[in-house]
Structures are given as C-alpha cells and as structure tokens.
Amino acid sequence: MGIFRGWRLLFLSLPLLVFVPLLFSVSELHRKPNLEQDLSKNHAKKFDHLVLGPAAGQGLPNRLQCQGLKALNKTHSLPSSRMLSSSDNISFVTVFAVYNSSQIACRDDKLCNTVIVGNASYNKVERSMAILDTFINFIQVSVPKSNVVILSDPASELPIHRNNVHLLHIHGDYSREKLMLQRIKSYIAFLETRYEEYIQRKNHLDNYIFTDSDVAVVDDLGDVFKKYPDFHLALTFRNNKDQPLNSGFIAVRGTPDGILKAKIFLQQVLEVYNSKYMKASRMLGDQLALAWVVKSHPSFDVKRFTRPEAFLDEIHGASVLFLPCAVYNWTPPEGAGQFHGMPLDVKVVHFKGSRKRLMLESWNFYTSYAASDYSDMLCLILRSGRTKYDF
C-alpha cells in the first residue's frame, strides 16, 4: 500500500513539476541562465516574465542553433573591431512621441499599473522612454560611430542627453490615430531639410536608416551601402501577399540624388496613403501604400517577394533595393522565416507589438553577463519571441 501511495503522490505532483518553471521571475532567469522554461500554449495571455520555448530552426542549415541559452554557431564581431568601419557616416532616424497618461484618472488598472523588468519599474510613459533608450543602446554597441536622430513633436518633452543623439522637432499630428501617417510626413520633411542644407551650404550628408524605435540593431549595417552601391533607397520585404513591405526599416543613400529620389518616392507613398488608406491610418496604412506604389509599377514582378534574396529594381524613377526582412527586419514570430528560426546573418530584430518587454529583457541579459557578442542573447530572443508580454 505504501508503494502505491508513493506512486499516487508522484503522479499528482507531475503538473507542478511541469509548470513550476513558468513561475520564475526574470531575475531568476538572469541568476540561472540554463533554466529551461515551458512555453505556454495560451498565446492570448500576456506574461510579466520571460517564457522560454523551443528554438525554431534547430537542425536547419544557416540558422542559429541553440543549446539552452547558449548559441552553438553564431558569432558577431566584437564592437571594438568595428571602430574603423565605414559606418561612421550612418545616421539612424526614428519618429518618437510620448503619450502622457499621468493626467488620466486611474479608473482602469491597465493605465495605472507599473511593470517591472529586472530591477527597474516603469509606468506607461516610462516604458516608452525605456524602449527608446534601449534602441539607442543597441545602435551604439553595434554601430558605435553612428548618429541617432529622433524626430518628435515640439510639444513632447524628451529627457535625452546622450552622445551622438540629436532631437529634431517637426510640427505635425503625432496622435496615436495619425502617427503612421505623420511618420511618413516627418521622414519627407527631414530629407527635404537635409537636401536644402546641402544645396545652400554643401553640408556633409550621412547615409540614413529610418527605423521604428522598437528595433535592435545587432550587427553593423555599413555593408548595405558598400555591397549595393547603386540604390537610392532600400525597403525590406517578406513573403506576404497583402503586406509584402515593412516600413520599419528604410535606408537612404546619403547623396544629393539619393536623398532627392527618396523624398520624391515617399511623397508618392504619402499621396497613395491619403487617397486610399486613411481608414488604416493608425496601423498598416503606410505599408499598404508602400506596396501599392511598388506593385503598381508596370514592370515589377511580385514573385520576387517569394524568394528571400536581395534585388534591385527601378520604381518610378528611383533605384530601389529590396532587402529580405529575414535579415534586415526579422520579427519573432510574425516576420519572414518565423517557422524556420533565425538566420545566422540577422542584422536587425524588430520587437513589434507585445514583444517590447523582450527588447528590454534582451538588453538586460546582454549587459548582465558582459557578453563579448550578441550570440547568446539572440538565443534568448529566438526562444522567447512567440510569447505575448505585458509591455
């Protein structure tokens, strides 16, 4: 009887043995990097701690291979080896707006509750600033001699005091409902200003990379301008019939011709946005307008979006380079190649939507262990990217 009673207790305790790992906090993950946590099957639930699942792409060639949180075949260069790279003429440009919820009565817990990441606690506004700060951190490690330009509403108070980080106020409507529309307008205004300054004073022109602020640049992007010397602007694409282009990464060559052609191209996108996709102005309108401008060109072959290879095409007078999202705009789990893991040569990770906590957690993981490269951190991202978090 004692033997049967023992087996019964063991059987009843099995569910606890399976789900106890999910209860560990992020701080526990940092203290025990080899801890294996089960990925919840309830994708609708948001978690306030990292949840690790299996790493996609195991056994596939040219994909990151992970053993726990240890990368087996991924090596990024040390930041010190990039100091002499040509990337010192790159400026990263992002549009950023703060929506202050402190004046809203705390009738809704979602507006008032803070979230904790590592040893830091954030309210709703502080979360956005933390994401922006982490965005800058990744750039300054991966492309250390580059500049960061933040385009923002003059009414926004952004306490940013960082080396090589510049705040530029551009008037417009930065409300949530019109932010994607305003982003295109701000990009156009920025390029217009750079072009006029060059014409009037022959100012130095950088190569420009326009990105969302929830991206992590994890490798030097100078190769885009060296490897592909003939493009005016570059877009990232994925194998998605309705939304093949993602606006979270747009590169512009820093020549008068490149800046002018890119500005004219984006003005066409803005016109299509205003005329066809205003109902999607809060989200996706810019991507739908981008796709319309590109696919409406008579000679463009949309089948090229099905192959994850960079290609060049002329679209309405501009030489446009199309770069695969899998490398230059990889998103867990909805980016191209999501079911096939992370490419070994990934350069930009895009933490869309509910993955923003993961962006902060990844940076904390990298700095906590003083890693010499991003390899293990990429395993953390790969194994955590399918989970919805509370950010």
Side-chain angles (χ1 to χ4, degrees), residues 64 71-78 82 218-219 344-346 372-376 378:
L64 179 65
L72 301 179
N73 63 341
K74 179 68 176 180
T75 303
H76 276 82
S77 303
L78 292 172
R82 302 183 188 134
V218 296
D219 204 354
L344 283 174
D345 54 350
V346 66
S372 60
D373 56 50
Y374 286 144
S375 304
D376 297 342
L378 293 178

Side-chain angles (χ1 to χ4, degrees), residues 294-309:
V294 169
K295 293 194 292 185
S296 67
H297 195 270
S299 63
F300 187 78
D301 181 8
V302 295
K303 291 182 180 179
R304 303 188 78 171
F305 287 149
T306 63
R307 300 185 290 272
E309 301 170 354

Side-chain angles (χ1 to χ4, degrees), residues 36-57:
E36 298 293 330
Q37 291 179 293
D38 292 333
L39 179 64
S40 172
K41 294 181 180 179
N42 183 5
H43 295 294
K45 181 180 180 181
K46 288 191 175 184
F47 291 89
D48 61 357
H49 59 280
L50 284 189
V51 180
L52 302 183

Side-chain angles (χ1 to χ4, degrees), residues 128-156:
S128 297
M129 291 304 303
I131 291 295
L132 180 63
D133 198 49
T134 304
F135 164 76
I136 297 169
N137 290 341
F138 275 113
I139 289 173
Q140 292 189 336
V141 169
S142 301
V143 198
K145 300 186 74 175
S146 62
N147 297 300
V148 177
V149 181
I150 301 168
L151 310 180
S152 187
D153 184 356
S156 294

